[in-house]
Amino acid sequence: QVHEYLRSKLCSLYENDCIFDKFECCWNGKDSVVMTGSYNNFYRMIDRDHCQDLTLEASRENCKPLSILKPRKVCTGGKRQKDEISVDSLDFDKKILHTAWHPLDNIIAVATTNNLYIYQEY
């Protein structure tokens, strides 16, 4: 279940043709982690070995050198926690459709509408 939080938004996605968006998937060099894009400039990583997932955001605020990326959590209803974002406030015009992972190193590239972000593990 990669984009489960979007289930309640299927009608909205269909009405504005976002239902036809195709998010690329890529794998790390060991084939243990899958990465794909999402809406609101989010991208998701799923660790197949440990059955864990992580949502991160590509933005200018967190692209400073040596900055640590903070996981994001999407709240689907009810009260939301301090660091959560509501599914109702997702921007469907901001999307990451293209992702790439270096085959040997922990370097990833994610492309938004008009920006390319490259992240490297230190």
Side-chain angles (χ1 to χ4, degrees), residues 16-108:
N16 62 17
D17 287 339
C18 287
I19 198 80
F20 300 109
D21 288 335
K22 294 179 182 177
F23 297 101
E24 290 181 354
C25 292
C26 63
W27 288 257
N28 68 344
K30 299 176 186 172
D31 291 337
S32 60
V33 182
V34 179
M35 179 174 59
T36 186
S38 187
Y39 296 105
N40 209 66
N41 282 351
F42 287 168
Y43 57 100
R44 300 196 22 92
M45 294 183 172
I46 297 100
D47 186 333
R48 301 179 332 139
D49 293 339
H50 300 100
C51 297
Q52 295 177 334
D53 61 280
L54 180 68
T55 302
L56 298 165
E57 181 179 12
S59 69
R60 292 179 188 255
E61 287 79 37
N62 63 11
C63 69
K64 294 176 178 58
L66 302 177
S67 64
I68 296 174
L69 300 177
K70 292 188 311 184
R72 300 299 305 257
K73 181 143 176 117
V74 179
C75 173
T76 56
K79 284 186 137 182
R80 60 184 179 98
Q81 304 286 327
K82 183 178 90 170
D83 292 339
E84 291 181 333
I85 183 168
S86 170
V87 71
D88 294 324
S89 64
L90 294 178
D91 187 347
F92 296 127
D93 291 327
K94 294 180 178 179
K95 46 191 142 189
I96 295 179
L97 298 175
H98 307 286
T99 58
W101 205 314
H102 190 280
L104 302 176
D105 296 326
N106 246 350
I107 301 171
I108 61 169

